[in-house]
Amino acid sequence: KTSKNNKMVEEGRGSNEGREPAEGVLESQTGLESLDLQMQRLQIGSGKCKHGLILPFHAASECEEFVATFNTEFSAVQGPISDCFQASIFATRKSHAEVWKDAAKMEWIVSAFVANATQLLLSGNIADVAAAGVRTSFASFFEQWIALKLYNNQYAIDWQLIHDLFYADEQTLRGYLIERCTSCPCLGVDLSWKQYYHQ
């Protein structure tokens, strides 16, 4: 059973393979230029909140390339979320194999997606909520990957959680991100996502 679960992680397969992303969701989170510019804005000015982004970081440039490749491959696939993850995982393991094995780099990538999702939520645009859900699902996936593969303290990837975050509403995303960005005061305090997932 463990082998099967690990294979699902390797291939990016989940329990919701038949569910396709809602119309416009992938389109709203494509645009790598947008992601790059948002990351740049987070790094400009020591007085601005970086929403949990780990800075400075010696390998930030390499990790940004990893994130860009992951996003490109994910948004290029037209099909179930599981297929999108599978394509992204395959592409980044081919181009950035060492990043997958480095806990510090993986944690920076989680922080980048958390920061990006937070910034999208703060924009106040309805379309950005969908994009924030995509980024948050990415953060959750990599967070769980670290626990499973690098720290060996998680049994399997919770694909249902990743799927739910992908389609989550603003309140759920806000609560989830707050817990992962304790140094960022921008989203306030909201633990409602715990109630949502433990009903």
Side-chain angles (χ1 to χ4, degrees), residues 5-193:
N5 283 326
N6 287 345
K7 189 172 188 298
M8 288 173 66
V9 173
E10 298 285 338
E11 298 179 354
R13 294 209 311 263
S15 60
N16 298 284
E17 294 189 40
R19 178 82 176 271
E20 294 191 12
E23 184 178 357
V25 171
L26 290 184
E27 289 80 355
S28 67
Q29 67 85 38
T30 54
L32 295 177
E33 181 181 10
S34 175
L35 174 64
D36 291 340
L37 290 176
Q38 288 169 23
M39 289 296 101
Q40 289 174 27
R41 282 197 291 272
L42 286 172
Q43 298 178 52
I44 295 174
S46 59
K48 293 185 178 180
C49 182
K50 297 173 177 62
H51 310 320
L53 181 67
I54 299 172
L55 289 173
F57 185 63
H58 70 282
S61 178
E62 179 184 11
C63 292
E64 286 170 358
E65 292 176 1
F66 179 103
V67 168
T69 300
F70 192 91
N71 279 329
T72 298
E73 295 300 322
F74 194 95
S75 58
V77 176
Q78 300 298 317
I81 296 173
S82 57
D83 289 353
C84 299
F85 270 101
Q86 184 172 3
S88 299
I89 292 168
F90 178 81
T92 48
R93 294 187 74 175
K94 184 177 180 180
S95 61
H96 298 83
E98 293 306 311
V99 174
W100 283 97
K101 304 173 186 177
D102 190 310
K105 292 177 182 177
M106 285 281 102
E107 287 170 356
W108 186 94
I109 289 167
V110 171
S111 81
F113 282 126
V114 167
N116 187 226
T118 299
Q119 187 158 311
L120 286 164
L121 278 187
L122 291 172
S123 74
N125 296 325
I126 295 177
D128 285 344
V129 173
V134 175
R135 303 295 192 220
T136 305
S137 73
F138 290 175
S140 178
F141 167 74
F142 285 110
E143 183 179 62
Q144 293 187 60
W145 174 275
I146 293 169
L148 177 66
K149 289 290 188 176
L150 302 181
Y151 294 151
N152 299 312
N153 58 11
Q154 182 167 324
Y155 176 70
I157 296 290
D158 184 348
W159 287 105
Q160 185 62 55
L161 172 60
I162 292 169
H163 180 273
D164 289 348
L165 289 171
F166 192 98
Y167 292 102
D169 59 25
E170 181 176 356
Q171 183 179 16
T172 300
L173 293 174
R174 187 177 291 268
Y176 186 89
L177 291 168
I178 285 170
E179 188 165 277
R180 278 146 185 80
C181 190
T182 56
S183 63
C184 170
C186 301
L187 292 175
V189 178
D190 181 356
L191 299 179
S192 60
W193 81 272

